[in-house]
Amino acid sequence: MRSGAAADAYDVVVVGGGMAGVSVAYELALDHTVLLLEMESTLGYHATGRSAAMYLETYGGSQVRALTLASRPFLEDPPAGFDARLMTPRPLLQIARAGRGEIIDALHEQVRPFVSAARTVDAAEAAELCPILRPGAVAKGLIEPHAMELDVHALHQGYIKGLRARGGTVLRGRRVEHLHQSTDGWQVHAADRVLGRGRIVVNAAGAWADQVASAAGCPPVGLRPRRRTIFTVAGQGALRDPLMPLLYDAEESFYVKPEGEQFLCSPADQTSCEPGDAKPDPLEIARALDEIRAVTTLAARSVRTSWAGLRTFAPDEEFVVGFDPAAHGFFWLAGQGGYGIQTAPAAARLAASLIRSETPPEDLLRLGLDSARLSPQRFRRPVV
């Protein structure tokens, strides 16, 4: 409910301007006053802004799949204010190398109950679907025909535009140093001033979420930022088919995605690192180039551009969504790993329902979402 309080007092203060923060702020601004704080001058700089996002229903465990499937209606038909098409067809082809076809069979058994359109293909059909595959390099593949590319910028900007249209306030370049709990909520402080006051604080600070929790006097949950390196190579005139699939090694040693007149590639690295401005790893790039040349006909001997982003995981690699039992009014929305873009609409709706003390959305429950599995309560062991 809108509070109508002073300019620096809000129902909810959201810390973090990446996809998690802007999406939950947008949902809550429908019936709450909301302040969104971002420490950088650019919203979504460290993870959202560096994502090569796809919508993949075969990606992740059961809770991720529930959030992914529940997000599809929003992403296919976004509400007014989202000015661009958010999804473009781009199939996913996961491959196993020669002698390793059982990996694909096991993966298919795992995802078949959720994604009925996914099917296995032999080496010949895999080569028809993805002409850059090197003959003899692949044993079998799994095709997800309804996978999509996501326009990350359009989705992120749509949420920001919608948040502002609903009366939300966005402040950039505001690093949170301390959070103080009082009888009527939280005071959120920078080094030299109070940034805002809120009955509820939403911790959507990505790789910095444990630091924000510590600043609020809450125990961290053990989040682990991991670097993901991305680079591009020349397309060599092989991109005539607009539906050439994203090629993903099922053993997670690389992926290759057609992008305009080039290929966007990654070593699929998950190197633990401290929160910060992630830099690409040249050794991982060199390894990935070797892997790509072994499996495809791409020459790929030089890199056009490279960058890196952060993907942050909880110790059990499940999302962290819910109120912290150690601090009244302190809400976690963190640990999205590599799934944060494709799950953002449903995760934001889930978080907003919990903040409103409502039952999670019915469509999520039908898909098997169990909010208790995502609660930070799982990290709070009772003292004996």
Side-chain angles (χ1 to χ4, degrees):
M1 185 175 297
R2 292 193 176 273
S3 64
D8 64 348
Y10 301 83
D11 295 326
V12 181
V13 177
V14 178
V15 181
M19 194 66 77
V22 299
S23 59
V24 73
Y26 166 86
E27 291 291 342
L28 289 169
L30 187 64
D31 54 3
H32 291 70
T33 56
V34 177
L35 170 64
L36 178 74
L37 299 173
E38 167 57 44
M39 68 176 180
E40 303 289 357
S41 60
T42 301
L43 296 172
Y45 178 76
H46 292 284
T48 299
R50 305 185 186 195
S51 174
M54 292 279 294
Y55 177 88
L56 307 173
E57 294 177 345
T58 57
Y59 197 33
S62 62
Q63 299 304 292
V64 167
R65 291 193 188 112
L67 291 166
T68 299
L69 291 166
S71 294
R72 186 160 196 148
F74 184 106
L75 295 169
E76 285 185 327
D77 186 19
F82 288 76
D83 297 330
R85 184 180 182 184
L86 300 181
M87 302 180 87
T88 304
R90 174 73 66 190
L92 168 68
L93 177 62
Q94 300 190 62
I95 53 97
R97 304 190 202 194
R100 303 287 287 165
E102 70 279 0
I103 296 173
I104 294 296
D105 293 330
L107 179 60
H108 187 218
E109 284 300 309
Q110 183 183 12
V111 304
R112 185 164 52 183
F114 303 93
V115 189
S116 60
R119 61 183 179 86
T120 59
V121 296
D122 61 18
E125 187 174 357
E128 290 179 8
L129 292 166
C130 188
I132 63 171
L133 283 174
R134 186 176 294 280
V138 171
K140 186 178 286 190
L142 180 71
I143 185 73
E144 182 182 335
H146 303 315
M148 296 279 180
E149 283 192 70
L150 291 173
D151 189 329
V152 179
H153 178 75
L155 179 60
H156 190 252
Q157 290 300 307
Y159 275 129
I160 296 169
K161 181 179 177 181
L163 169 62
R164 288 177 167 144
R166 291 176 174 182
T169 300
V170 178
L171 297 179
R172 310 180 193 205
R174 306 299 203 276
R175 180 180 289 273
V176 173
E177 299 286 351
H178 175 66
L179 296 94
H180 173 71
Q181 190 173 19
S182 62
T183 56
D184 59 350
W186 292 88
Q187 289 185 358
V188 183
H189 296 253
D192 57 349
R193 64 190 182 281
V194 176
L195 296 173
R197 299 172 175 83
R199 292 188 298 104
I200 293 168
V201 167
V202 176
N203 181 11
W208 287 262
D210 268 349
Q211 294 182 7
V212 170
S214 296
C218 297
V221 300
L223 295 170
R224 301 167 182 171
R226 300 176 188 171
R227 182 183 61 238
R228 170 58 58 92
T229 299
I230 301 174
F231 61 95
T232 60
V233 298
Q236 300 173 298
L239 304 182
R240 288 185 292 273
D241 182 0
L243 291 181
M244 183 183 293
L246 166 69
L247 180 66
Y248 196 97
D249 176 23
E251 295 184 85
E252 300 190 13
S253 67
F254 72 88
Y255 69 74
V256 175
K257 185 181 84 167
E259 187 176 78
E261 292 302 314
Q262 63 184 7
F263 286 97
L264 186 150
C265 310
S266 174
D269 49 331
Q270 299 193 62
T271 307
S272 295
C273 60
E274 294 299 316
D277 190 9
K279 304 298 182 185
D281 185 337
L283 294 179
E284 284 292 323
I285 291 174
R287 178 191 63 76
L289 287 171
D290 286 342
E291 302 273 4
I292 291 166
R293 286 192 293 266
V295 176
T296 76
T297 56
L298 293 178
R301 299 197 178 277
S302 62
V303 171
R304 286 184 165 184
T305 59
S306 63
W307 64 95
L310 296 177
R311 304 156 84 241
T312 302
F313 296 82
D316 59 3
E317 300 199 357
E318 296 280 13
F319 287 19
V320 186
V321 186
F323 281 108
D324 195 305
H328 181 73
F330 188 88
F331 190 93
W332 291 80
L333 181 56
Q336 289 91 345
Y339 317 110
I341 309 299
Q342 68 179 38
T343 61
R349 287 195 296 122
L350 171 64
S353 70
L354 297 175
I355 289 168
R356 295 182 180 116
S357 300
E358 298 172 350
T359 302
E362 180 61 31
D363 60 319
L364 284 172
L365 298 178
R366 286 197 306 269
L367 289 165
L369 193 283
D370 180 0
S371 59
R373 288 183 57 179
L374 309 183
S375 170
Q377 179 73 50
R378 70 190 191 270
F379 301 110
R380 306 298 186 228
R381 299 290 181 255
V383 178
V384 179

